[in-house]
Amino acid sequence: MALRRIALHYDCISPYSWIGFEVMMRHSRMWNDPTVRIELKPTFLGGIMKGSGNKPPGVVAGKMVYMGRDLQRLNDFTDMELNMLSDPFTTLFKKGSIKAMRAITAMDMTNPEVVERVSIEVWKQIWIHDRDITDEAILMDAFTSAGLTKNKAKEFLEMAGAKEVKNKLKENTEEALDAGCFGAPSFIVRQDGEDDKMFFGQDRIELLCHQLELPYHGAAKEGKIF
Amino acid sequence: MALRRIALHYDCISPYSWIGFELMMRHSRIWNDPSVQIELKPTFLGGIMQGSGNKPPGVVPGKMVYMGRDLMRLNEFTGMELNMLSDPFTTLFKKGSIKAMRAITAMDMNSPEIVERVSTEVWKKIWIHDLDITDEAVLMDAFAKAGLSEEQGREFLGLASTKAVKNKLKENTEEALDAGCFGAPSFIVRQEGEEDKMFFGQDRIELLCHELNLPYHGAAKEGKIF
């Protein structure tokens, strides 16, 4: 079977990115199939929104109310523990995630093996504990919880300000825009001799599985490791 | 088991309404569970958008491109045959569906047993054959394909402009808005002694099943009858 690569574009500012990331990684562990390779792509969702002319769901009042309930239902379904933010407007639109996503991009460039665990710890800070991920102490806490030494963690925070790291995050974001993305999570399936196929949203993993003839396991709880 | 009622709010202008409607009806036939009752609620999506301050997805160009592909993937998954419209702007935003939805509402008030079949035939006109459902001849043909006589078809078209029918469609639309809807399809689950629960989108049937402890069957092809 030819290699199928799935680029998973995500931003830790986005709770649906977390759910999509978690459910996809669980599936990947259950498939345990060397012909399917997940490529984690830290991405800047603000750049996707601007580049595609899209608007975040928070601008329609009823959608924000619904989102809180939808997240609770997804918690129940997936066995995750997301909480609504106390001040979504400030957290999502004023503070954002650029520093966190740059630090994760720095890790991806030098220690890709830590990216999954660190991304999850950053999501936990914002989407479980309602903490400010623009605060370096919070990020340090997330990085060390993921198993990084304090020195290593500091190093990545410094690298976040480097030009090549900033460029790499921009590159991942442009890669997503070029594939037609307008939000996150987005999954780009690449296969030799076939057109790239972009799937948008945590709820399209079922269709992605169907397309690749891989079994869909719903919440895929057997693949849960963290 | 206490009765669980699922109000299915849909508009034939919306392709995702059709997919959600079809999947829910298939599930309902497979469940074959008298404690679960689907209540079809013809609804005016334009009124939902206006009342909730939401905007249709067509306003972001990348979303419209993606929607075409998403519908093709859903076809493949569900065994349906939707096609993208040749002129979505005119069909969706200038022409709309109010006459069709009023006629279906008239049927719901007088002969509810034909609503499922007629709605499906109206969807086929617009979302398979790209025909104009503001044209009475096209609607008459849809009604005939659903088994109505010419006389019955004309009668329902006549009823479509009566005050009682217009008010009933408004009522269904307001019922959806009151439950927090901002789009279609929307599913409102009602159970005695519990709060109403609204689920938005064809992709949330899986969560609805989880909530009601009912088996989720994906495309549920065994429940397909039309």
Side-chain angles (χ1 to χ4, degrees):
Chain A
M1 173 68 82
L3 183 67
R4 284 86 55 91
R5 295 183 297 136
I6 304 172
L8 199 177
H9 287 266
Y10 68 96
D11 186 326
C12 293
I13 202 77
S14 147
Y16 291 103
S17 281
W18 187 12
I19 298 164
F21 181 102
E22 174 67 22
V23 173
M24 179 55 79
M25 297 313 281
R26 290 183 190 177
H27 273 84
S28 161
R29 285 186 283 267
M30 288 176 73
W31 295 329
N32 191 23
D33 181 337
T35 73
V36 181
R37 190 195 294 162
I38 313 288
E39 299 172 345
L40 298 182
K41 299 273 183 177
T43 299
F44 182 50
L45 182 55
I48 300 273
M49 288 295 179
K50 205 166 117 162
S52 66
N54 201 1
K55 294 259 175 302
V59 299
V60 176
K63 280 194 191 176
M64 207 55 141
V65 173
Y66 178 76
M67 184 174 140
R69 290 189 195 128
D70 192 48
L71 291 178
Q72 294 315 318
R73 289 167 184 166
L74 283 162
N75 278 342
D76 191 48
F77 181 60
T78 59
D79 208 8
M80 295 174 77
E81 306 166 69
L82 286 78
N83 291 306
M84 256 318 243
L85 304 169
S86 54
D87 182 1
F89 182 79
T90 304
T91 305
L92 301 178
F93 307 130
K94 291 184 77 175
K95 298 207 162 204
S97 60
I98 191 125
K99 194 191 289 173
M101 294 318 290
R102 282 178 179 158
I104 292 172
T105 302
M107 295 172 203
D108 190 37
M109 293 167 78
T110 58
N111 294 73
E113 72 285 358
V114 303
V115 168
E116 179 180 359
R117 193 65 202 272
V118 169
S119 301
I120 289 172
E121 293 301 331
V122 173
W123 266 309
K124 283 185 184 170
Q125 292 295 334
I126 173 169
W127 282 105
I128 292 182
H129 303 301
D130 197 15
R131 292 199 185 116
D132 181 359
I133 59 162
T134 66
D135 178 343
E136 295 207 346
I138 302 284
L139 285 179
M140 285 293 289
D141 194 29
F143 300 168
T144 53
S145 297
L148 269 61
T149 63
K150 252 189 151 137
N151 279 342
K152 244 347 204 174
K154 265 198 211 313
E155 198 181 299
F156 286 123
L157 272 182
E158 275 159 29
M159 283 177 69
K163 192 153 185 83
E164 65 258 62
V165 170
K166 291 181 181 178
N167 282 343
K168 176 68 183 163
L169 181 61
K170 259 188 212 153
E171 209 177 275
N172 284 353
T173 305
E174 271 157 28
E175 183 188 326
L177 284 168
D178 288 345
C181 294
F182 47 82
S186 292
F187 308 89
I188 307 167
V189 175
R190 296 192 170 93
Q191 218 172 333
D192 255 328
E194 296 207 18
D195 276 335
D196 294 354
K197 295 181 185 75
M198 189 274 284
F199 294 81
F200 168 64
Q202 144 278 325
D203 50 78
R204 286 301 185 261
I205 292 176
E206 188 175 19
L207 290 186
L208 184 153
C209 291
H210 183 75
Q211 181 93 47
L212 296 184
E213 299 189 336
L214 290 164
Y216 174 63
H217 298 292
K221 286 189 190 170
E222 287 145 81
K224 189 170 191 264
I225 58 171
F226 299 125
Chain B
M1 173 68 82
L3 184 65
R4 285 90 52 93
R5 294 183 299 135
I6 304 173
L8 198 177
H9 289 265
Y10 68 95
D11 186 325
C12 294
I13 202 79
S14 146
Y16 290 104
S17 280
W18 187 12
I19 298 165
F21 180 102
E22 173 69 21
L23 292 181
M24 180 56 80
M25 297 314 282
R26 290 183 191 178
H27 273 84
S28 161
R29 285 186 283 265
I30 296 175
W31 294 330
N32 191 22
D33 181 338
S35 80
V36 181
Q37 194 176 296
I38 313 287
E39 299 172 345
L40 298 183
K41 299 273 184 176
T43 299
F44 182 50
L45 181 56
I48 300 274
M49 289 293 179
Q50 205 186 33
S52 65
N54 201 2
K55 294 262 176 300
V59 299
V60 177
K63 279 194 189 175
M64 209 52 141
V65 173
Y66 178 76
M67 182 176 142
R69 291 190 193 127
D70 192 47
L71 291 179
M72 295 309 114
R73 288 166 185 165
L74 282 161
N75 278 343
E76 237 261 301
F77 181 62
T78 59
M80 297 174 77
E81 307 168 67
L82 287 78
N83 291 306
M84 258 315 244
L85 305 170
S86 54
D87 181 2
F89 182 80
T90 304
T91 305
L92 301 177
F93 307 131
K94 290 185 78 175
K95 297 205 163 203
S97 61
I98 192 126
K99 193 189 290 172
M101 294 317 291
R102 281 177 179 158
I104 292 172
T105 302
M107 295 173 201
D108 189 37
M109 294 167 79
N110 296 286
S111 314
E113 71 286 357
I114 64 175
V115 167
E116 180 183 358
R117 191 67 202 272
V118 169
S119 302
T120 302
E121 294 300 332
V122 172
W123 267 308
K124 285 184 186 174
K125 291 292 178 201
I126 174 169
W127 283 104
I128 293 183
H129 303 299
D130 199 16
L131 295 172
D132 179 1
I133 60 162
T134 66
D135 178 344
E136 295 206 346
V138 170
L139 285 179
M140 282 295 286
D141 194 48
F143 301 166
K145 291 223 157 50
L148 271 63
S149 67
E150 200 169 335
E151 207 185 335
Q152 284 173 310
R154 274 196 202 297
E155 194 186 325
F156 286 121
L157 274 182
L159 280 165
S161 53
T162 62
K163 194 153 185 84
V165 168
K166 290 182 180 177
N167 282 343
K168 177 67 182 163
L169 181 60
K170 258 189 212 152
E171 209 177 274
N172 284 353
T173 305
E174 271 157 26
E175 183 188 326
L177 283 168
D178 288 346
C181 294
F182 47 82
S186 293
F187 308 89
I188 307 168
V189 174
R190 296 193 170 92
Q191 218 170 334
E192 258 197 273
E194 296 208 19
E195 276 188 48
D196 294 355
K197 296 183 185 81
M198 189 274 283
F199 295 81
F200 169 64
Q202 144 276 324
D203 48 80
R204 286 300 185 259
I205 292 176
E206 188 174 18
L207 290 185
L208 183 153
C209 290
H210 183 75
E211 181 86 33
L212 295 183
N213 283 318
L214 288 165
Y216 174 64
H217 298 290
K221 288 193 184 168
E222 291 141 82
K224 189 169 191 272
I225 59 171
F226 299 128

